[in-house]
Amino acid sequence: MTDKDFENEVPAGEGPEAQASGSDPQVDPATADAEAEELTVDDILGAQQNADAAAEDAVIADLESALLNDLKRLQAEYANYRRRTEEQREIEVERAQGAVARGLLPVLDDVDRAEKHGDLEEGTPFAAIAEKLRGVAERMGLSTYGEAGELFDPQQHEAIFQAPTPGVEAPTILEVVEIGYRLGSVELRPAKVVVAVPVE
């Protein structure tokens, strides 16, 4: 053989097929694929974690727990804030209504006095104005209390005079001098009354 024949000779395993595959001649590609296919998702998820991964998971769990606790605390604080704000708003509304109602009390007293003296005749302009004023007071939630014949209640009535009266067994309102007013459940002014008391 000539030198040219030796140069064209290719050693075994280094032919074009071997070079094209680019694989290691000792590893069988079919065996490698079979080993990779044998691992399932459950195998991967169920695999033992190393110590570093377990410590990292514990740190992440602690951070998640701390963030969740912070979120719950903020939600509770916000709910409390909304409740307090709503309560404060209602108090302010009641306070404003009370201020307006207190300003109307002297006018309502004058209307009541005029009615007692017979000045509110049906069909007169003054009677119409009085009715409108009373309607406004009712829509605001203003109500009256204290009538002759009721039992005297020192929590609701202010006694300006006590009159010993025969036949009376318990303190009773004999006459209402000034009507009491409430705005909702809030007492604006107690009823000023003359009280009939039993004779001793």
Side-chain angles (χ1 to χ4, degrees):
M1 286 180 111
T2 63
D3 289 335
K4 286 184 177 181
D5 291 335
F6 287 113
E7 288 174 8
N8 291 334
E9 200 172 305
V10 177
E14 292 183 10
E17 295 86 13
Q19 289 174 355
S21 68
S23 60
D24 189 359
Q26 287 124 3
V27 177
D28 184 15
T31 308
D33 289 341
E35 287 176 4
E37 288 176 11
E38 287 177 15
L39 289 177
T40 64
V41 173
D42 291 334
D43 292 338
I44 294 170
L45 292 177
Q48 286 285 352
Q49 287 186 330
N50 63 21
D52 291 340
E56 188 175 321
D57 284 350
V59 168
I60 290 172
D62 288 344
L63 288 173
E64 286 176 352
S65 175
L67 289 173
L68 185 60
N69 288 337
D70 286 347
L71 178 62
K72 288 179 180 178
R73 181 180 50 77
L74 287 173
Q75 285 176 329
E77 286 178 4
Y78 180 67
N80 289 336
Y81 166 76
R82 285 187 60 192
R83 181 183 47 79
R84 282 193 310 269
T85 304
E86 186 63 28
E87 288 173 0
Q88 190 64 33
R89 188 185 68 78
E90 289 173 7
I91 289 169
E92 291 301 321
V93 167
E94 288 177 5
R95 186 175 293 150
Q97 287 177 337
V100 171
R102 280 190 184 88
L104 286 177
L105 293 185
V107 180
L108 292 170
D109 288 339
D110 290 342
V111 168
D112 291 336
R113 287 188 198 102
E115 187 174 34
K116 284 180 183 176
H117 288 98
D119 294 336
L120 293 180
E121 294 178 13
E122 189 72 28
T124 62
F126 190 52
I129 291 170
E131 284 304 311
K132 287 180 181 178
L133 182 63
R134 286 178 175 159
V136 168
E138 282 181 25
R139 283 194 297 277
M140 285 177 57
L142 198 61
S143 60
T144 61
Y145 69 95
E147 292 183 14
E150 288 182 1
L151 288 176
F152 174 73
D153 182 358
Q155 299 294 325
Q156 299 181 15
H157 307 112
E158 182 181 331
I160 59 171
F161 183 73
Q162 290 185 348
T165 308
V168 174
E169 297 178 3
T172 308
I173 297 174
L174 189 62
E175 182 185 347
V176 179
V177 178
E178 202 172 69
I179 295 174
Y181 284 97
R182 287 190 188 103
L183 182 63
S185 61
V186 178
E187 186 177 283
L188 295 178
R189 184 180 76 189
K192 293 180 181 177
V193 296
V194 175
V195 182
V197 294
V199 179
E200 292 179 1

